[in-house]
Amino acid sequence: MFPSPPERVADYRRKGWWRGETVDSLLRKAVVARGEAEALVDAPNREALVGSRQRRLTFAKLDRAVSAMAHAFAGLGVARGDVVATQLPNVVEGVIAFLACARMGAILSPVATAYRAHELRQILPAVTPRVYLTTGLFHGHDHAAMLLELQRAGVTTAQVVVLGAAAPGGAHALDQLMADSPATSFPAPTDQDAAEALTLCWTSGTEASPKGVPRHHDHWVVNGEALVEAAGLKPGDAILNPFPLINIASIGGMVMPWLVCQGRLIQHQPFDLPIFLGQMQDERVAYTVAPPAVLNMLLNNEALLSATDLSNLRCLGSGSAPLAPWMVKGWQDRHGVTVMNVFGSNEGASLFSTGQAIPDPEQRARFFPRFGAAGIDWPAAFPAKIRTRLVDLATEREITAPGVEGELRIDGAMTFDGYWQAPKLTAEAFDAEGYFRTGDLFEIAPEAGGRYYRFVGRCKEIIIRGGQNISPAEVDVLIESHPKVREASCSAYPDERLGERVCAVVALRPDQTLSLDELCDHLKAQDVATYKLPEKLRIVEALPRNPLGKVLRRELSGVAAS
């Protein structure tokens, strides 16, 4: 499968934006250059999470593990172009699976561990994976048992492979499969093209069903190169990754920069502050990411920071919520650490407020560079591979004057080409000039001669809880299936730690009452991902609607925040 049209591939390679290099080629170069250097490290609490010991792999051992997993997948029938699905916590096997698919020409389709049967019934028939690699009991849920039940129900024909040395009946144990694999390097296809699909990740938007986002090697390589430049990474740097390998935040923001700079990738999950700080010190971390609320809290706790050696830390990425100028300035002035403001999406809408692009830390907290805007140049190579513009939603005219709100549109080397098997959604996602419609409102800030964008808000109805996109339309329908509910609509309410949480605004049938626990029990019975569950319930007489009957979700924000 080739996600990008051949003319785009040819154009971008002619410009030097894409280099035609595969992810496996990057790995093999790292093995040659740094074979005995440590490359990939589990979190120290791995045993508590999945019952097996922490693993630390050199590039040479990683290379052998990648070949062993590729041989194991091939033995289960995976061929070039086939899909391997994974549902794993943030352990080294997730990275190995990504690299094994890259080596054998397969397509990795990772899903969040929070997904339950409800989401998988939508995803699995669409991608028909040959293999499904998962774990057993994790955070109180048996993922292997769930997959085997879906297999028995005819939802999937994928062979279930379970992390570790043991597996339930009907599944395969990964450790045994890899131990039985040939000791030889897996032969990568000699004619592999970097424009072949490598991943199929899943995202949520205003639609009720998850959307597949295919990306190829060229997409991922340029993403890694951009982050290396943006974060100022050097060869051998340690990168602390708190994201499970399911989307662009982990693959593009952590795994690919690690491969490009031939450094060390340190895994972390779930977010645990003492472990996180301990890893930053013990692993000599140069770059990581953290939510704004965590960076605020740490800066206000000098006793905690002073007890941690952060002398190797140079850059912190943060985003998904507005950054406080005092926080960005405080990290820079007091600790010499650059906080990089990040705006991004699975579709490849990417803006980075780097220390190079916006040296003033307080401006960096408030603004994003107008990458690709006519007549504006930026340091580093990657900004030239991104094009942006603001568009008036009513007229579709481009906005060039400061202080006027418009939707941010993005195109360029990191932007995807369309959703998986969804031509209508794809057509709606791009404008007439080929720019991706981000669904986010920005304005050109008058400061610095109009070089910056300022984030204003969203024009898409989407809730982002701790970096996870939630389609309110999906949850609305599930809530309205409750026998006591007449109509329902979900809205976001602000949260300092997670950015946003979900509030269910519900109108009940006559003479009914409903509690939050009762509502959540109803949703759990439908096997809904736990992060989508409402954490607040507001009962109203009726939902606000426009003259055509459409729910005015924006008017619910005041109800949700109360």
Side-chain angles (χ1 to χ4, degrees):
M1 180 177 71
F2 291 81
S4 296
E7 57 272 19
R8 185 187 186 204
V9 175
D11 181 37
Y12 283 11
R13 288 184 181 171
R14 186 168 52 249
K15 291 176 177 176
W17 292 7
W18 292 345
R19 295 190 292 103
E21 181 164 24
T22 67
V23 169
D24 188 55
S25 171
L26 285 179
L27 173 60
R28 292 180 187 273
K29 286 180 178 179
V31 173
V32 170
R34 295 176 56 78
E36 297 310 312
E38 196 167 68
L40 184 60
V41 180
D42 267 321
N45 59 333
R46 172 185 169 126
E47 189 161 7
L49 294 176
V50 296
S52 52
R53 289 185 297 176
Q54 180 192 35
R55 299 181 67 187
R56 306 182 75 99
L57 301 175
T58 64
F59 275 107
K61 289 181 179 178
L62 172 63
D63 184 52
R64 291 193 290 272
V66 168
S67 280
M69 190 175 286
H71 280 298
F73 288 163
L76 296 175
V78 177
R80 185 175 180 178
D82 285 339
V83 173
V84 172
T86 57
Q87 189 176 29
L88 295 170
N90 209 12
V91 291
V92 299
E93 285 83 355
V95 178
I96 296 170
F98 169 69
L99 297 172
C101 286
R103 178 159 294 180
M104 64 193 308
I107 301 169
L108 181 78
S109 187
V111 300
T113 54
Y115 276 10
R116 298 294 182 258
H118 169 77
E119 291 82 15
L120 296 182
R121 289 190 193 101
Q122 301 172 67
I123 290 173
L124 293 178
V127 296
T128 59
R130 290 275 188 176
V131 165
Y132 198 104
L133 173 60
T134 188
T135 185
L137 195 66
F138 177 71
H139 282 182
H141 182 75
D142 193 328
H143 291 77
M146 175 178 66
L147 260 297
L148 291 169
E149 180 60 33
L150 290 171
Q151 190 186 66
R152 287 190 290 270
V155 175
T156 181
T157 58
Q159 298 199 60
V160 179
V161 178
V162 181
L163 198 70
H172 304 272
L174 178 64
D175 287 1
Q176 189 61 54
L177 289 176
M178 293 180 67
D180 292 342
S181 294
T184 56
S185 178
F186 188 89
T190 56
D191 61 343
Q192 189 172 28
D193 192 322
E196 291 180 49
L198 172 56
T199 59
L200 181 55
C201 298
W202 298 92
T203 187
S204 296
T206 57
E207 298 75 26
S209 300
K211 297 177 292 188
V213 179
R215 300 180 77 83
H216 50 62
H217 297 254
D218 273 323
H219 279 136
W220 287 127
V221 171
V222 74
N223 214 119
E225 292 170 343
L227 260 293
V228 166
E229 283 192 295
L233 295 175
K234 301 175 182 178
D237 271 345
I239 300 169
L240 178 56
N241 175 28
F243 298 129
L245 193 140
I246 57 172
N247 56 26
I248 199 167
S250 177
I251 301 174
M254 295 283 159
V255 175
M256 292 309 303
W258 155 69
L259 271 184
V260 170
C261 76
Q262 301 177 354
R264 284 191 305 133
L265 186 66
I266 317 299
Q267 302 286 68
H268 179 92
Q269 190 196 9
F271 190 82
D272 183 300
L273 187 58
I275 293 175
F276 192 71
L277 290 175
Q279 287 178 292
M280 289 172 70
Q281 172 180 285
D282 298 342
E283 304 290 353
R284 305 181 304 282
V285 169
Y287 172 66
T288 189
V289 297
V294 171
L295 299 185
N296 294 348
M297 179 274 294
L298 286 173
L299 200 61
N300 283 325
N301 193 332
E302 283 297 335
L304 186 60
L305 277 184
S306 62
T308 307
D309 181 2
L310 301 179
S311 58
N312 291 281
L313 185 66
R314 299 195 305 273
C315 185
L316 285 163
S318 194
S320 77
L323 305 190
W326 65 265
M327 180 271 287
V328 179
K329 179 175 171 57
W331 276 99
Q332 182 164 309
D333 291 351
R334 287 148 59 182
H335 299 281
V337 175
T338 298
V339 175
M340 178 172 62
N341 197 357
V342 180
F343 168 83
S345 74
N346 261 322
E347 291 85 353
S350 302
L351 296 178
F352 308 102
S353 290
T354 68
Q356 275 189 306
I358 307 181
D360 182 275
E362 294 180 302
Q363 287 190 334
R364 198 183 320 129
R366 299 164 54 216
F367 305 134
F368 292 95
R370 290 181 63 200
F371 290 154
I376 302 177
D377 294 322
W378 300 98
F382 77 88
K385 303 172 186 177
I386 300 171
R387 299 191 301 156
T388 65
R389 65 191 190 117
L390 292 189
V391 174
D392 184 284
L393 285 170
T395 65
E396 283 294 304
R397 291 177 181 168
E398 185 167 350
I399 296 168
T400 57
V404 182
E405 293 182 10
E407 183 184 30
L408 179 69
R409 308 278 175 88
I410 290 188
D411 187 25
M414 286 181 277
T415 308
F416 83 138
D417 293 271
Y419 295 110
W420 172 253
Q421 296 181 347
K424 185 174 183 292
L425 284 179
T426 296
E428 294 170 350
F430 295 89
D431 66 19
E433 295 190 23
Y435 284 73
F436 173 64
R437 305 174 187 267
T438 65
D440 292 283
L441 295 174
F442 284 75
E443 65 181 9
I444 299 171
E447 292 89 344
R451 290 172 59 84
Y452 304 147
Y453 289 127
R454 188 199 328 264
F455 177 74
V456 175
R458 286 193 211 105
C459 47
K460 283 184 178 179
E461 296 174 343
I462 185 171
I463 300 169
I464 304 179
R465 182 191 186 277
Q468 292 271 26
N469 287 2
I470 299 171
S471 163
E474 176 191 13
V475 185
D476 294 350
V477 172
L478 296 170
I479 292 174
E480 288 178 342
S481 69
H482 194 290
K484 293 183 178 182
V485 174
R486 187 178 81 250
E487 57 180 359
S489 187
C490 288
S491 182
Y493 67 95
D495 179 78
E496 186 181 64
R497 185 172 67 87
L498 295 174
E500 293 178 330
R501 294 181 186 264
V502 180
C503 174
V505 182
V506 173
L508 299 174
R509 297 185 184 278
D511 303 320
Q512 298 292 335
T513 60
L514 183 69
S515 69
L516 179 61
D517 286 344
E518 187 180 355
L519 176 60
C520 288
D521 286 343
H522 174 74
L523 296 175
K524 290 175 184 176
Q526 299 179 73
D527 295 317
V528 176
T530 52
Y531 68 86
K532 299 177 183 177
L533 297 177
E535 294 169 273
K536 186 185 287 188
L537 172 64
R538 292 290 180 263
I539 306 296
V540 297
E541 290 294 321
L543 298 179
R545 297 180 182 272
N546 67 13
L548 298 177
K550 181 178 175 61
V551 174
L552 300 172
R553 203 180 298 272
R554 288 188 180 184
E555 293 191 11
L556 298 176
S557 58
V559 177
S562 64

